[in-house]
Amino acid sequence: MTEDLNTRVSNAAQGITPQTKPDERRRFLGSLRERVLVRMTNAEVQDPKLTSLFLQHFKDYAGYNILINGNLHDNFVNQVETYCSKYETSFTIVNNETAKTGPDDSAILVVASSAINKMRIEISQVYPPEMPKAQLADINQKKAGFWHRLFHGDN
């Protein structure tokens, strides 16, 4: 017990502090999941529909910081940087051990400075794709009730 206390005191004197949730920080480019508003993976950045969806909702990111995986060599990163300067949104390019290139690793994160605890953070969940108009019309069409079908038949 005293060894732990002595070690902790000496580490604190040297400026070494234990990091909270290191696995989570490695997954979210040094940030925490509770701060993430929108996340795109390396595989999703390759999809032009999702990248245009991300850029289409760029006004929603005012007041947030955008973390960009520094290992990406893509035109999309240049577009994000252009949009950041256009809408005066701060961004950070992350070039440390958390910037991984696997398909499920984070490529772009929109993060807050404090916890926002959003349940859904993936781009396809935050901004679901629009339904085709034919399907939307079928959903909006009111179904006939039991009594209507009974007296008027199934049409």
Side-chain angles (χ1 to χ4, degrees):
M1 176 77 179
T2 58
E3 291 177 18
D4 292 337
L5 183 60
N6 289 335
T7 304
R8 187 156 186 152
V9 169
S10 66
N11 286 344
Q14 296 173 3
I16 302 171
T17 57
Q19 188 181 44
T20 58
K21 302 181 180 181
D23 292 334
E24 191 172 302
R25 287 188 184 271
R26 280 190 287 273
R27 184 166 183 222
F28 295 105
L29 298 176
S31 185
L32 297 170
R33 194 221 180 273
E34 64 193 22
R35 296 180 180 181
V36 177
L37 176 71
V38 177
R39 175 180 182 253
M40 286 185 74
T41 63
N42 290 327
E44 290 172 337
V45 167
Q46 304 302 322
D47 185 3
K49 290 180 183 177
L50 291 176
T51 56
S52 66
L53 183 67
F54 180 82
L55 295 174
Q56 190 177 16
H57 291 279
F58 213 86
K59 291 180 183 177
D60 297 347
Y61 314 142
Y64 292 93
N65 187 24
I66 296 180
L67 300 178
I68 302 170
N69 186 334
N71 292 327
L72 295 177
H73 300 290
D74 195 24
N75 186 28
F76 179 61
V77 174
N78 295 334
Q79 289 177 333
V80 170
E81 291 174 359
T82 303
Y83 273 72
C84 284
S85 63
K86 180 179 177 182
Y87 292 107
E88 298 178 359
T89 304
S90 61
F91 70 94
T92 304
I93 296 178
V94 180
N95 272 337
N96 56 19
E97 69 277 352
T98 62
K100 298 179 183 174
T101 57
D104 292 332
D105 293 323
S106 297
I108 303 279
L109 294 173
V110 180
V111 296
S113 58
S114 61
I116 54 175
N117 292 324
K118 286 197 60 165
M119 189 169 155
R120 293 181 173 90
I121 61 171
E122 301 299 327
I123 185 86
S124 58
Q125 295 172 342
V126 174
Y127 303 112
E130 291 185 19
M131 291 182 124
K133 292 183 180 181
Q135 286 181 345
L136 194 59
D138 290 342
I139 291 172
N140 290 336
Q141 186 179 24
K142 187 174 180 180
K143 292 188 176 184
F146 171 76
W147 296 108
H148 186 270
R149 285 182 293 167
L150 181 67
F151 291 112
H152 299 287
D154 286 337
N155 291 342

